């Protein structure tokens, strides 16, 4: 299934639409097709090296801007690495969006080795993320980096 979804992500990226429409379509695609993805969104790095909320599908979040280092998103940005928290109740440096969220994965988007954004996924399940998710989402972010 991930292979088909990745093909669809490539198609969306090549569509004649603006970047926000394309990112939103990708959020919708992932949320609608993977049961354990309950909130799917992009954060984009701005000039002051903060993460600014971009297109997302799921409940509204109060975390519109996140400094590098803060929360799971900020930690992934600082370390320039995929960050997986299989049980958010065990993570001290965590910014809660909804009490329903039990786990989270954040995958950086790189352009010329610099981080330009992140794909953030919340799940209502405990420990749902596998190596397959990591591989798939890192591939998605590699394709998405063509938009930057
Ligand atoms: N939980 C994130 C904040 C963003 S929301 O999940 C949408 C964090 O700890 O960085």
């Amino acid at each position: 299934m991930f292979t088909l979804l990745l093909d669809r992500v490539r198609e969306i990226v090549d569509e004649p639409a603006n970047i926000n429409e394309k990112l939103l379509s990708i959020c919708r695609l992932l949320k609608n097709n993977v049961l354990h993805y309950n909130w799917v969104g992009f954060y984009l790095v701005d000039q002051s090296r903060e993460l600014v909320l971009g297109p997302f599908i799921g409940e509204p979040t109060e975390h519109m801007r996140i400094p590098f280092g803060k929360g799971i998103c900020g930690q992934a940005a600082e370390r320039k690495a995929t960050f997986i928290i299989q049980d958010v109740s065990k993570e001290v440096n965590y910014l809660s969006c909804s009490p329903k969220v039990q786990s989270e994965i954040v995958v950086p988007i790189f352009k010329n080795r610099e981080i330009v954004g992140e794909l953030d996924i919340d799940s209502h399940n405990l420990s749902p993320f596998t190596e397959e998710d990591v591989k798939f989402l890192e591939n998605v972010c590699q394709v998405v980096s063509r938009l930057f």
Side-chain angles (χ1 to χ4, degrees), residues 39 43 61 63 66 70-74 93-95 97 104 120 122:
W39 188 98
Y43 279 91
T61 172
H63 303 296
I66 302 177
K70 271 207 94 181
I72 295 169
C73 292
N93 190 357
Y94 168 63
L95 304 168
C97 284
E104 179 163 354
D120 179 18
D122 288 344

Side-chain angles (χ1 to χ4, degrees), residues 4-146:
L4 290 176
L5 288 179
L6 190 59
D7 286 343
R8 184 66 196 117
V9 169
R10 286 197 187 94
E11 285 170 10
I12 292 170
V13 163
D14 291 335
E15 275 167 9
N18 71 41
I19 180 169
N20 282 338
E21 289 167 342
K22 293 180 190 193
L23 293 178
L24 188 64
S25 297
I26 293 167
C27 292
R28 194 178 293 114
L29 175 81
L30 299 187
K31 179 160 186 306
N32 288 349
N33 287 282
V34 187
L35 275 180
H36 58 287
Y37 297 175
N38 299 108
W39 188 98
V40 180
F42 287 94
Y43 279 91
L44 308 176
V45 176
D46 81 348
Q47 283 159 347
S48 57
R49 277 173 63 83
E50 280 195 340
L51 298 158
V52 181
L53 183 64
F56 68 93
I57 298 280
E59 286 178 27
T61 172
E62 64 189 87
H63 303 296
M64 310 284 285
R65 294 186 78 89
I66 302 177
F68 276 34
K70 271 207 94 181
I72 295 169
C73 292
Q75 292 183 77
E78 203 167 59
R79 296 185 196 184
K80 292 186 174 181
T82 297
F83 211 92
I84 307 169
I85 300 293
Q86 301 281 18
D87 179 354
V88 293
S89 73
K90 300 214 166 86
E91 173 61 37
V92 184
N93 190 357
Y94 168 63
L95 304 168
S96 173
C97 284
S98 152
K100 290 185 212 150
V101 175
Q102 302 221 52
S103 56
E104 179 163 354
I105 182 168
V106 180
V107 181
I109 302 164
F110 296 103
K111 189 82 189 180
N112 302 326
R113 300 217 179 100
E114 282 305 310
I115 177 164
V116 291
E118 291 181 346
L119 173 57
D120 179 18
I121 297 181
D122 288 344
S123 177
H124 297 170
N125 299 356
L126 264 184
S127 301
F129 301 114
T130 66
E131 270 310 306
E132 293 302 302
D133 290 278
V134 175
K135 240 186 285 167
F136 167 60
L137 295 171
E138 288 182 349
N139 283 331
V140 168
C141 286
Q142 212 170 355
V143 174
V144 164
S145 79
R146 302 211 306 254

